[in-house]
Amino acid sequence: MSDTYPSISEQLTDVETARQEGRRKMEWARQHMPICEALREEFVADQPFAGERIGMAMHVEAKTAILVETLAAGGAEVAVTGCNPLSTHDDVSGALDAHESITSYAKRGVDDGEYYAAIEAVIDHEPTITVDDGMDLVAAIHEEYPELIDGIVGGAEETTTGVHRLRAMDADGALAYPVFAVNDTPMKRLFDNVHGTGESSLASIAMTTNLSWAGKIVVVAGFGHCGKGVARKAAGQNANVVVTEVEPRRALEAHMEGYDVLPMDEAAAVGEVFITTTGNRDVIVRDHFEQMRDGVILANAGHFDIEIDLDALADLAVDTYEARDGVQAYELEDGRRLNVVAEGRLVNLAAPISLGHPVEVMDQSFGVQAACVRELVENGEAYAPGVHDVPDELDREIAEIKLAAEGVEHDSLTDTQREYMDSWDHGT
Ligand code: RBV
């Protein structure tokens, strides 16, 4: 085990200044996270996590830091690292590491070796609960430290890609403890994936390139929840949206929404901005690069950097240079320039100016995360190893907290209505 990997505080040159800035970012986020605030108050009073060690691999920036502190406020010891080499804010990581119950190993710009060493450092804390975004922590525990599994109550997974991997692992009979599919809840998927990915991906691309959406032909690869959000928000900013899909019902849905639906082979020649959201590999490959227009922008909004085949692009290119901060230009033999944003890593978090999803939607996602951790501590033994849907009442609880904070009132079923909905014998 790597018991030598240093925490972020040991890696920063001016720790105090970094911590102050990180703390300032966190205070701003906190002010807009009423769900985490309400849960924190409950956890401070009840101390549900006393004696638990929570291991986390997530995008370590201000909003995530509020989740980490919320869990620590409930009595947990927390060890955290990043889930992407480019999404960490070192100042926030430093501020977290100053907390007496929190150790942060997250650092921006780590190479593969450091990334996994930091995950091992989290595992060194022998977590009793894991909170993951992308499943790298669960994978490392199962592959390298299976002896810890007996001591693990369960876990929670943030994102589509992670849940997909966990379900594959579960289907193979390889997942040895229960994990909640936080991503799949209404409070997460209908807001974070749709609005969060839509807004933050487009904002990051626009800020990084300083280019307009108006009148652009924007190709959105994948029409899942993330793709829907990106397509809708791009159309809302006056882009002409083209959707590519492999799933016939989703392709039809995109068509009926009024988008052009094309195979990538055809979309490649017409698009001006390409945004991948599929979660699958090899979505934009050599044949596509060969047809693209001069000056196109290529960006990925999926969890991993596998959707755009950058090896093939590097191979095709006769020259490559940093055109702007966060934009790498690849020049082809005939002079065309193809511009890749944020190294093809998830663009809403990995570009230099990226801030991740908006605060409000992360409050919801992290509210569900925190409620899942509480459920594991309270009722963990009720869940067998495998992927579990989050109990619907927990998701509703988070929605009610948010509605109350927004001052939105809503109706409840009457007893007669409830009886009617539960019965099968009220016909014509
Ligand atoms: N995500 N986190 C942020 N902390 O700023 N932004 C997006 C943040 C999460 C989001 O929930 C998504 O499912 C996941 O990142 C993809 O890795």
Side-chain angles (χ1 to χ4, degrees):
M1 276 204 189
S2 111
D3 45 15
T4 52
Y5 191 81
S7 74
I8 184 69
S9 301
E10 295 166 62
Q11 302 189 53
L12 291 172
T13 40
D14 184 354
V15 186
E16 273 321 310
T17 308
R19 284 179 175 167
Q20 277 170 23
E21 181 55 19
R23 176 60 49 194
R24 196 163 73 113
K25 291 181 179 177
M26 287 164 66
E27 283 309 321
W28 175 260
R30 185 195 305 283
Q31 287 169 33
H32 300 89
M33 298 179 78
I35 301 169
C36 285
E37 183 63 20
L39 291 172
R40 193 181 62 83
E41 283 169 20
E42 175 194 314
F43 295 165
V44 165
D46 299 350
Q47 292 296 293
F49 311 135
E52 302 294 337
R53 292 180 302 277
I54 303 179
M56 304 176 72
M58 306 204 91
H59 303 294
V60 178
E61 52 67 64
K63 292 148 286 177
T64 308
I66 298 302
L67 171 64
V68 174
E69 281 201 344
T70 302
L71 297 173
E77 293 282 330
V78 186
V80 60
T81 184
C83 68
N84 181 297
L86 293 182
S87 63
T88 297
H89 289 216
D90 289 352
D91 47 8
V92 173
S93 183
L96 272 181
D97 199 49
H99 190 296
E100 59 176 5
S101 327
I102 299 171
T103 312
S104 180
Y105 300 96
K107 185 167 185 291
R108 188 173 200 274
V110 287
D111 62 24
D112 268 12
E114 294 166 312
Y115 178 84
Y116 285 106
I119 286 190
E120 294 205 0
V122 167
I123 297 173
D124 270 346
H125 292 251
E126 303 193 352
T128 55
I129 290 171
T130 60
V131 180
D132 233 323
D133 182 332
M135 209 203 89
D136 284 346
L137 187 54
V138 171
I141 288 170
H142 281 72
E143 280 161 12
E144 286 166 62
Y145 305 99
E147 69 278 8
L148 296 181
I149 289 171
D150 270 354
I152 297 180
V153 190
E157 168 56 51
E158 171 82 6
T159 202
T160 316
T161 291
V163 170
H164 191 86
R165 290 177 80 191
L166 285 164
R167 290 200 196 281
M169 199 176 170
D170 198 8
D172 274 352
L175 181 58
Y177 62 83
V179 182
F180 282 123
V182 170
N183 178 74
D184 295 358
T185 60
M187 280 300 281
K188 201 278 182 179
R189 185 146 67 176
L190 301 179
F191 302 92
D192 172 315
N193 301 28
V194 176
H195 296 281
T197 308
E199 289 186 21
S200 65
S201 302
L202 295 184
S204 290
I205 296 168
M207 292 294 291
T208 303
T209 61
N210 198 21
L211 298 175
S212 172
W213 294 109
K216 285 278 187 322
I217 301 173
V218 176
V219 178
V220 180
F223 203 63
H225 286 86
C226 294
K228 279 176 194 160
V230 173
R232 190 196 299 171
K233 309 268 175 184
Q237 295 193 64
N238 301 352
N240 297 302
V241 175
V242 175
V243 170
T244 71
E245 240 309 335
V246 293
E247 211 286 328
R249 277 85 38 104
R250 288 189 175 163
L252 185 56
E253 205 182 345
H255 171 71
M256 297 286 273
E257 286 291 328
Y259 303 119
D260 286 336
V261 178
L262 291 176
M264 185 59 85
D265 271 343
E266 290 175 34
V270 297
E272 295 175 288
V273 183
F274 294 80
I275 307 171
T276 53
T277 73
T278 72
N280 209 339
R281 56 177 300 160
D282 303 338
V283 176
I284 302 182
V285 296
R286 188 182 187 103
D287 285 353
H288 304 134
F289 299 134
E290 283 174 344
Q291 303 177 55
M292 284 181 181
R293 297 161 63 165
D294 179 33
V296 295
I297 307 289
L298 301 168
N300 166 51
H303 182 78
F304 286 126
D305 59 339
I306 40 145
E307 308 208 17
I308 305 170
D309 186 354
L310 289 183
D311 289 341
L313 184 55
D315 197 43
L316 265 182
V318 293
D319 189 20
T320 172
Y321 55 93
E322 193 178 29
R324 291 171 61 82
D325 279 359
V327 181
Q328 191 71 16
Y330 291 78
E331 197 168 315
L332 307 187
E333 205 160 18
D334 60 8
R336 278 178 298 144
R337 287 150 303 180
L338 277 46
N339 299 298
V340 176
V341 184
E343 303 175 16
R345 296 193 185 272
L346 86 175
V347 68
N348 63 323
L349 282 144
I353 50 80
S354 292
L355 298 170
H357 285 6
V359 184
E360 296 92 331
V361 295
M362 294 319 298
D363 187 32
Q364 296 189 191
S365 304
F366 292 157
V368 180
Q369 286 281 9
C372 283
V373 173
R374 187 188 62 194
E375 175 68 5
L376 285 168
V377 171
E378 287 175 355
N379 298 311
E381 67 292 345
Y383 298 92
V387 180
H388 292 267
D389 288 337
V390 176
D392 205 44
E393 65 271 18
L394 295 188
D395 203 48
R396 281 169 177 272
E397 174 191 337
I398 301 306
E400 296 289 6
I401 299 175
K402 174 75 179 186
L403 286 166
E406 296 273 306
V408 178
E409 294 184 36
H410 67 102
D411 290 326
S412 305
L413 292 175
T414 63
D415 289 345
T416 318
Q417 286 177 318
R418 197 179 302 282
E419 190 275 332
Y420 182 84
M421 292 306 284
D422 289 344
S423 69
W424 55 269
D425 55 351
H426 299 296
T428 313

